[in-house]
Amino acid sequence: MNKVKQCEQLVKSIYDQFDASHDYQHIERVMMNAKTILETEPTANGELVQLAVLLHDVSDPKYTTGKENESTILNQLDLKHDEIQKIQEIIASVSFRGGNELEAKSIEAKIVRDADRLDAIGAVGIARTFAYGGAKGRKLYDEKEEVRVQMTEAEYRKKETASVTHFYEKLLLLKDLMTTTRGKQMAEARHQFMVDFLQQLKLEREGKL
């Protein structure tokens, strides 16, 4: 069994415990995005990209308290020390962290980051945002809530904002943070769909449609 298939079997049961915003379907979509970007990045190591995609949320602090899942699975795969280190570096650079993201230094890190962020925007991104907000009992929107322009990672993770506020604090920023040429292209239509959705939502909640 190759390492990617082995990793798939090890992570699926973990993601099946998460809500619909970060379940295994999310991983499948990110993988599809990553493979699309890989087609235009021939120098990238496809195996490292795929393994990082599979593992990038297994130790997500929204659902777990440490890196146990990530480390345990990596140690079960037949990987060299430098490969494990590269995968961990890729995963560490994916998170937005309230605008305090780490630099994506390798082409593999750029691909995985873009692939994950593409799943955070557009129609799927909208669905995921409200799925997560619903799972956490958050408001759909709060017109009195102030959008934060600057914040620490701790502040970003701690405050339970309304779902619509999340668009302005993160999702609408992602298009301009894409790092690969293909990722930038794919982000355009998805970003515009969010803009149109938010305008429609505003008109509906104001009783203008």
Side-chain angles (χ1 to χ4, degrees), residues 180-195:
T180 65
T181 300
R182 187 72 181 106
K184 292 175 183 178
Q185 294 169 346
M186 295 169 71
E188 288 291 339
R190 299 186 187 210
H191 176 84
Q192 188 58 50
F193 190 88
M194 290 192 301
V195 172

Side-chain angles (χ1 to χ4, degrees), residues 39-129:
E39 292 174 0
T40 63
E41 300 292 347
T43 63
N45 185 317
E47 182 177 71
L48 291 185
V49 166
Q50 291 179 75
L51 289 173
V53 167
L54 290 168
L55 290 162
H56 80 276
D57 276 339
V58 291
S59 295
D60 190 315
K62 293 190 292 296
Y63 303 98
T64 63
T65 57
K67 292 290 185 182
E68 294 85 358
N69 291 335
E70 179 184 308
S71 299
T72 298
I73 293 170
L74 281 168
N75 289 331
Q76 292 182 62
L77 303 174
D78 185 21
L79 294 167
K80 297 176 182 177
H81 176 73
D82 66 311
E83 292 176 321
I84 291 177
Q85 189 173 31
K86 287 178 182 177
I87 292 169
Q88 290 177 321
E89 288 173 355
I90 293 169
I91 293 170
S93 70
V94 171
S95 180
F96 179 67
R97 302 171 188 264
N100 303 286
E101 61 194 18
L102 302 179
E103 181 184 357
K105 296 180 179 179
S106 67
I107 185 57
E108 291 83 7
K110 292 176 180 179
I111 291 170
V112 177
R113 175 188 282 183
D114 281 7
D116 183 55
R117 291 182 173 184
L118 284 167
D119 202 57
I121 61 178
V124 169
I126 293 169
R128 290 182 64 213
T129 298

Side-chain angles (χ1 to χ4, degrees), residues 11 98 157 168:
V11 302
R157 297 194 184 283
Y168 294 97

Side-chain angles (χ1 to χ4, degrees), residues 11-31 53-58 60 62-63 116 119 124 127-128 131-132 135:
V11 302
K12 192 173 187 305
S13 61
I14 297 173
Y15 289 117
D16 284 344
Q17 299 174 54
F18 298 171
D19 64 71
S21 68
H22 290 81
D23 60 9
Y24 194 68
Q25 287 185 330
H26 163 61
I27 300 302
E28 291 176 323
R29 292 189 302 268
V30 175
M31 185 68 78
V53 167
L54 290 168
L55 290 162
H56 80 276
D57 276 339
V58 291
D60 190 315
K62 293 190 292 296
Y63 303 98
D116 183 55
D119 202 57
V124 169
R128 290 182 64 213
Y132 182 77

